[in-house]
């Protein structure tokens, strides 16, 4: 029974293909006096879309190139150190004892302490180096 159904389907497919083949052949043949075929005329009706597609692709390509140019500008631009403050007098206002997270206390006295400590240490090193140099010169004069 199944073989019969397959043969019947094949028969009807062949029966439908014959008129469709004839129709396709007759539509694709050129007309009298060298006129283009009706299929060619129908396909030429879509020719205006190619110019539309060209314009659309050109606009999209230009937009993508401009976006890439802008991206390179943003990625390679240097960062500005200037920050425009609306109220600069409010930077160091507030309690120096209870400093909330994310804020800075005034640490000028701490900075000055370590600056003085560094200067004293450098002075001590310079004196020690000068003494060693004087000793080396004295030893060199004693040997001669």
């Amino acid at each position: 029974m199944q073989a019969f159904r397959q043969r019947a389907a094949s028969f009807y497919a062949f029966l439908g293909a014959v008129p469709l083949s004839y129709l396709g052949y007759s539509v694709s043949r050129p007309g009298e006096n060298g006129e283009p075929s009706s299929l060619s005329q129908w396909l030429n009706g879509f020719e205006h879309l190619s110019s539309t597609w060209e314009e659309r692709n050109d606009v999209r390509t230009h937009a993508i190139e401009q976006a890439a140019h802008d991206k390179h500008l943003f990625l390679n631009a240097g960062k500005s150190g200037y920050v425009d403050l609306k109220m600069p007098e409010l930077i160091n206002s507030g309690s120096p004892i209870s400093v909330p997270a994310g804020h800075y206390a005034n640490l000028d006295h701490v900075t000055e302490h370590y600056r003085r400590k560094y200067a004293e240490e450098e002075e001590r090193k310079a004196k020690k180096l000068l003494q060693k140099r004087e000793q080396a010169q004295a030893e060199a004069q004693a040997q001669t």
Side-chain angles (χ1 to χ4, degrees):
M1 183 70 155
Q2 212 168 17
F4 175 73
R5 287 185 185 157
Q6 288 178 352
R7 285 188 207 143
S10 300
F11 173 75
Y12 288 119
F14 175 76
L15 197 61
V18 169
L20 287 177
S21 300
Y22 179 74
L23 179 69
Y25 177 77
S26 62
V27 169
S28 66
R29 300 305 310 154
E32 295 176 10
N33 301 327
E35 298 171 354
S37 67
S38 55
L39 180 65
S40 297
Q41 290 176 353
W42 182 70
L43 290 174
N44 287 340
F46 296 105
E47 196 168 292
H48 70 282
L49 293 178
S50 66
S51 63
T52 305
W53 289 338
E54 282 180 23
E55 292 171 7
R56 187 181 307 153
N57 289 342
D58 187 41
V59 168
R60 288 178 180 170
T61 302
H62 181 69
I64 290 170
E65 288 174 353
Q66 186 65 42
H69 181 265
D70 293 346
K71 178 181 177 182
H72 287 295
L73 280 179
F74 286 130
L75 290 178
N76 295 326
K79 294 186 178 181
S80 173
Y82 176 73
V83 178
D84 185 22
L85 299 174
K86 293 184 180 181
M87 300 172 63
E89 64 272 4
L90 293 179
I91 285 183
N92 288 328
S93 66
S95 171
I97 298 169
S98 178
V99 179
H103 293 78
Y104 297 104
N106 189 357
L107 300 175
D108 290 340
H109 63 283
V110 176
T111 308
E112 187 59 35
H113 167 73
Y114 284 107
R115 188 175 291 129
R116 270 190 266 119
K117 190 174 178 181
Y118 174 75
E120 291 169 1
E121 184 68 22
E122 287 296 314
E123 190 176 323
R124 185 188 65 78
K125 287 179 184 177
K127 285 180 183 178
K128 188 174 180 182
L129 184 63
L130 187 60
Q131 286 176 356
K132 283 186 179 181
R133 195 176 288 164
E134 287 175 357
Q135 285 177 357
Q137 286 177 356
E139 289 176 6
Q141 286 178 357
Q143 289 178 357
T144 56

